[in-house]
Structure formats: C-alpha cells, structure tokens
Amino acid sequence: MNPEVLLSRIRVVLCRPSHPGNIGAVARAMKTMGMSQLYLVEPKQFPDPEADTRATGAVDILERAVVTATLGEALVGSVYAVALSARQRDLGPAIGQPRDAVADLLAEAEQGEVALVFGNETVGLSNEEILHCQAAVTIPTNPEFSSLNLGSAAQVLCYECRMAAFAGKPPVRSQGATPFASPAATHDEVEGLIGHLEAVMTATGFFNPLQPGRLLPKLRRLFGRVRLEKDEVNILRGILASTQVRTEHGRKG
Ligand code: SAH
C-alpha cells in the first residue's frame, strides 16, 4: 500500500496530557513524519495558545484533533493499538522494541485504522488503558534515566513509522544534484593529474624519481578516496601549470 496512505491510518492518542505544550510538540512530531490523526483523551487544557506555539507549522493537526472522554472512544473503528510505556506493567502485553512493534502496526494498517497510545506526563498509562492495547513498547534508554518527554517519545515512534512505511528509505528533500558538483573525473583524467603532479614535484625537487618511496602510491590512494570531479582535476592542474610558468620565468630571469 502507498506509504502515505499507511501513515494516514495511524492515530496518535494522548491519554490525559497535562501540558498543552506537549500536545503541540506531538502535533509537530507527527506532521514532520507525514502523520495527521491526533486524538486527545481528557486533555487537561486544550485548545491552548501554548499548544499552538509548540506546534509551529502543525497547527492544522491541532485544529483537526479529536477530543474524547475515554481511550475506548479514541479507539472506535481502529483494529490495533500499541501502548507506549516507559516500564513493564503487571498485566499489560509483553514489552517489545519500537521497530518490531511498528512493523506489526503497519502490517495491521493494511487492514484498517491503528493507534499509538501515549500516557500522561507524570503517571504514564494506567493498567486499564494498557489493556485496551494489543501490544506494548518501551523505547530503549539509559536504564538510569528512562523517561522521555512526551513529544520526544512521539517523535521517535513517528520516525519509526515513516521509516517502516517507506521500507527503510524515505525520500529526502535535498536528494538530487549536489550544488556546484561536476561529473566524476575519468581514469585518464586522474592519471593526467598524477603525471602532472609528478612532473612538478620532480622539477621543484620535492620528488626524487631515483628514490620514489611511497609518495605516489599515497597520492593515488588519496585521489581514490576523494573521488575527484572533472572541475576539481582542472583546478588542481591549473594550479600546477601556474607554478610551472613561474619556475620557467624564474629560470629565464
Ligand atoms: N513517569 C511516567 C512516564 C511519563 S512520560 C511513567 O513512568 O510511565 C509520558 C509518556 O511518554 C509515557 O506514558 C509513554 O507513553 C511515553 N514515554 C516516555 N518515555 C518512554 C519510553 N522510554 N518508552 C516508551 N514510552 C515512553
């Protein structure tokens, strides 16, 4: 299925969020990853100017957000839900890794709407809320400090959703031509440069052909590593030619 359609089927559900700023941050996290369905279960304060400020360009997601009284209502019509929890709950589903859980979530999204369910900033998800979900995920963290900010946790999961929807290779906007790039130099052009360098280095006395050492192989390795472009070969050869003109003038004068 088209990756954008898959992403449009994922609801992000925030249970009892306390800080409107976090709701805005989640909206922004979602929009950057091509997701749009935000559900808010009993938000403490919403709508709120702080949410708009933190959403910046994603206010449209806040405007379309669905506010419900219970998690059950936010999941109406969905076929699968993954709980986000910083710790294992007694009765909840076994905790999995985000990448695996998101692969399952997207497979389910082929059938219908699915959800990522996040908890309150202070108390997380309740046991009852977790039991509405078919899978649970903990983002692996420093064991000493495992609780992410709500917006950050949402960003990690939304990123994983985008990666999975595009099979690991989402298009990057800046892809395409590198500014100022010229075509790759050919083998003979690089050889011409090395020959030119050798001549100049010999003329200046930097290189002694009778005792070549490792200088030329090292230079070859350097050029092999940088993958020279045509323009770059021309610039370097221009510089070399200019030193030859000077040494010849020097000799004449
Ligand atoms: N003190 C709470 C954490 C609240 S953070 C607790 O211990 O549960 C707010 C929400 O962000 C969490 O409910 C969870 O949905 C998400 N979150 C934060 N850190 C996370 C982590 N390491 N793994 C998965 N979800 C996390």
Side-chain angles (χ1 to χ4, degrees):
M1 188 178 281
N2 175 314
E4 261 113 27
V5 174
L6 276 180
L7 291 170
S8 76
R9 292 184 171 191
I10 305 171
R11 301 178 188 179
V12 171
V13 183
L14 306 184
C15 294
R16 296 163 289 108
S18 316
H19 301 292
N22 282 337
I23 301 175
V26 171
R28 185 174 183 174
M30 291 169 62
K31 189 158 177 176
T32 55
M33 296 299 136
M35 292 158 62
S36 53
Q37 294 201 60
L38 178 61
Y39 282 71
L40 304 170
V41 181
E42 255 197 318
K44 188 163 177 207
Q45 223 171 307
F46 185 80
D48 187 273
E50 181 63 18
D52 292 356
T53 306
R54 292 283 300 281
T56 51
V59 176
D60 55 319
I61 291 190
L62 296 179
E63 284 165 358
R64 276 182 282 126
V66 179
V67 177
T68 68
T70 62
L71 174 57
E73 279 173 62
L75 296 179
V76 167
S78 70
V79 296
Y80 191 74
V82 176
L84 271 289
S85 175
R87 54 205 157 94
Q88 172 78 60
R89 299 305 169 109
D90 296 345
L91 286 169
I95 295 275
Q97 294 277 342
R99 202 155 290 170
D100 302 334
V102 163
D104 294 343
L105 185 83
L106 286 190
E108 296 287 345
E110 303 269 350
Q111 327 286 323
E113 298 264 319
V114 297
L116 291 170
V117 180
F118 295 84
N120 166 272
E121 292 90 332
T122 317
V123 296
L125 286 169
S126 68
N127 282 326
E128 201 231 317
E129 284 164 338
I130 293 222
L131 288 171
H132 277 281
C133 303
Q134 288 74 39
V137 161
T138 297
I139 300 166
T141 54
N142 171 1
E144 250 81 292
F145 194 65
S146 63
S147 177
L148 278 80
N149 163 268
L150 182 53
S152 306
Q155 185 75 72
V156 171
L157 266 290
C158 292
Y159 174 75
E160 288 292 340
C161 288
R162 187 167 187 80
M163 286 297 277
F166 283 90
K169 291 224 183 302
V172 177
R173 177 133 68 108
S174 60
Q175 242 168 18
T178 310
F180 307 116
S182 93
T186 59
H187 176 76
D188 45 299
E189 285 164 343
V190 176
E191 286 303 309
L193 169 64
I194 292 171
H196 200 162
L197 252 178
E198 194 177 342
V200 170
M201 293 189 305
T202 308
T204 62
F206 185 79
F207 176 67
N208 178 358
L210 300 176
Q211 282 182 316
R214 296 203 192 102
L215 184 59
L216 288 174
K218 286 237 168 203
L219 287 172
R220 271 180 194 283
R221 193 165 66 174
L222 167 67
F223 294 141
R225 206 165 56 226
V226 297
R227 310 287 320 278
L228 286 163
E229 295 172 1
K230 275 186 200 306
D231 283 359
E232 293 162 346
V233 168
N234 287 338
I235 290 168
L236 291 172
R237 292 202 62 169
I239 294 170
L240 291 172
S242 74
T243 68
Q244 287 173 307
V245 170
R246 292 213 71 166
T247 32
E248 273 157 31
H249 278 311
R251 245 182 249 136
K252 273 181 216 142

